[in-house]
């Protein structure tokens, strides 16, 4: 009889739930802190590609908000989706 191995739960990814753009895992505004770490790891060495991905996500979030009847604040959206990128790049250089 084969040995039974305990099942380990895989961590749930921190992905956006549309149209609200909240994290499916922690319900924080996406990209939440863990999603930011995951994205920096996934796009390691490709910061321009990450910026394009986030800008595209930001545009979809803005479109979704208009679709829900909201009026997105461009400064808030920029800070949320792209504002943290320069901090991530600086911390990688310092480390």
């Amino acid at each position: 009889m084969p040995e039974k191995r305990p099942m380990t739960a895989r961590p749930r990814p921190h992905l956006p739930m549309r149209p609200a753009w909240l994290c499916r895992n922690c319900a924080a505004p996406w990209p939440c802190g863990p999603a930011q770490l995951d994205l920096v790891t996934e796009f390691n060495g490709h910061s321009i590609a990450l910026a394009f991905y986030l800008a595209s996500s930001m545009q979809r979030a803005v479109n979704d908000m208009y679709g829900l009847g909201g009026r997105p604040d461009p400064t808030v959206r920029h800070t949320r989706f792209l504002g943290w990128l320069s901090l991530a790049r600086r911390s990688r250089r310092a480390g």
Side-chain angles (χ1 to χ4, degrees), residues 37-58:
L37 291 173
D38 291 346
L39 289 165
V40 168
T41 300
E42 182 180 342
F43 285 85
N44 184 25
H46 302 281
S47 59
I48 294 173
L50 175 56
F52 275 113
Y53 172 74
L54 289 169
S56 170
S57 296
M58 180 178 69

Side-chain angles (χ1 to χ4, degrees), residues 8-85:
T8 56
R10 291 179 56 177
R12 291 182 61 198
H14 290 263
L15 300 173
M17 178 176 49
R18 291 178 70 184
W21 286 86
L22 298 176
C23 176
R24 288 182 181 275
N25 191 345
C26 66
W30 190 92
C32 58
Q36 292 173 8
L37 291 173
D38 291 346
L39 289 165
V40 168
T41 300
E42 182 180 342
F43 285 85
N44 184 25
H46 302 281
S47 59
I48 294 173
L50 175 56
F52 275 113
Y53 172 74
L54 289 169
S56 170
S57 296
M58 180 178 69
Q59 184 59 55
R60 288 194 304 272
V62 166
N63 292 344
D64 285 347
M65 184 172 250
Y66 279 124
L68 293 171
R71 295 182 56 94
D73 180 332
T75 304
V76 171
R77 294 292 163 195
H78 181 272
T79 300
R80 177 174 161 184
F81 283 87
L82 297 168
W84 60 273
L85 282 179

